[in-house]
Amino acid sequence: MPDQSAPLLPLEQSLTRHPIDAAVRIGHVHLKVADLDRALAFYCGVLGFELTQRRGSEAAFISAGGYHHHIGLNTWESRGGSPPPRGATGLYHLAILYPTRAALAGALKRLLAAGIPLDGASDHGVSEALYLSDPDRNGVELYWDRPQAQWPRTPEGHLDMYTRPLDVRALLREAA
């Protein structure tokens, strides 16, 4: 992970002349994987996503709660391939939002039971996050958002996110 202790630069208000609709959400992400079964074992077997559709050994679509798909996994251009080298452009990580701190704690419990190591764990003020890599070394963030009323703010009212170590043991105590 890069050094996130450096202060954020001042807001550049002129960057967004016409803001996007506030109801817009990131709907799904597609990941290129080397081995579809290995990827499904991680995303379904460890994280608990459900398979909604599979197309042989080429593609699978998985979701939480019956949505058509939150994550697409495919081998169209990557079967048997290797992860991109460090220093290459591409996806830094995908982030999976859990509804509560207890749900995130449950995910941590599953990771530990499966022997999946964490790459990091951070408290960002607005959220608490666990960082790991999937079997293809795609970055994965598992997190929950604190209620907006608890988000850190500057005296001027601007968001004041930070990166501090997350107490993983305290989080684990929240697991059901």
Side-chain angles (χ1 to χ4, degrees):
M1 283 184 4
D3 176 19
Q4 295 180 348
S5 62
L8 295 174
L9 298 175
L11 295 176
E12 296 184 42
Q13 299 297 332
S14 64
L15 287 178
T16 307
R17 286 189 162 151
H18 306 287
I20 194 168
D21 187 298
V24 169
R25 299 288 180 262
I26 303 296
H28 60 269
V29 63
H30 279 246
L31 299 175
K32 296 190 288 186
V33 300
D35 182 307
L36 189 60
D37 289 327
R38 182 180 70 182
L40 286 170
F42 174 77
Y43 284 99
C44 295
V46 176
L47 295 185
F49 282 92
E50 297 174 301
L51 181 66
T52 59
Q53 188 175 13
R54 183 172 179 156
R55 295 187 181 157
S57 62
E58 292 188 352
F61 303 92
I62 60 176
S63 80
Y67 188 65
H68 56 80
H69 73 288
H70 288 104
I71 302 173
L73 304 165
N74 71 67
T75 60
W76 299 321
E77 300 173 359
S78 55
R79 179 170 302 159
S82 58
R86 285 185 126 352
T89 59
L91 180 72
Y92 184 70
H93 69 234
L94 68 101
I96 300 168
L97 176 61
Y98 285 77
T100 63
R101 189 170 199 260
L104 179 63
L108 175 58
K109 189 175 178 181
R110 294 171 77 126
L111 293 172
L112 294 173
I116 307 291
L118 293 179
D119 296 334
S122 298
D123 179 344
H124 296 296
V126 298
S127 63
E128 292 181 316
L130 304 172
Y131 297 95
L132 57 139
S133 296
D134 77 3
D136 290 287
R137 290 200 328 240
N138 291 307
V140 178
E141 175 185 353
L142 309 180
Y143 74 106
W144 84 284
D145 276 337
R146 288 187 171 96
Q148 284 191 21
Q150 296 177 17
W151 290 3
R153 303 255 175 211
T154 66
E156 297 80 26
H158 297 292
L159 194 58
D160 193 19
M161 291 175 56
Y162 51 77
T163 299
R164 298 178 183 153
L166 176 64
D167 184 342
V168 176
R169 287 194 174 120
L171 176 63
L172 195 54
R173 287 193 293 273
E174 300 252 348

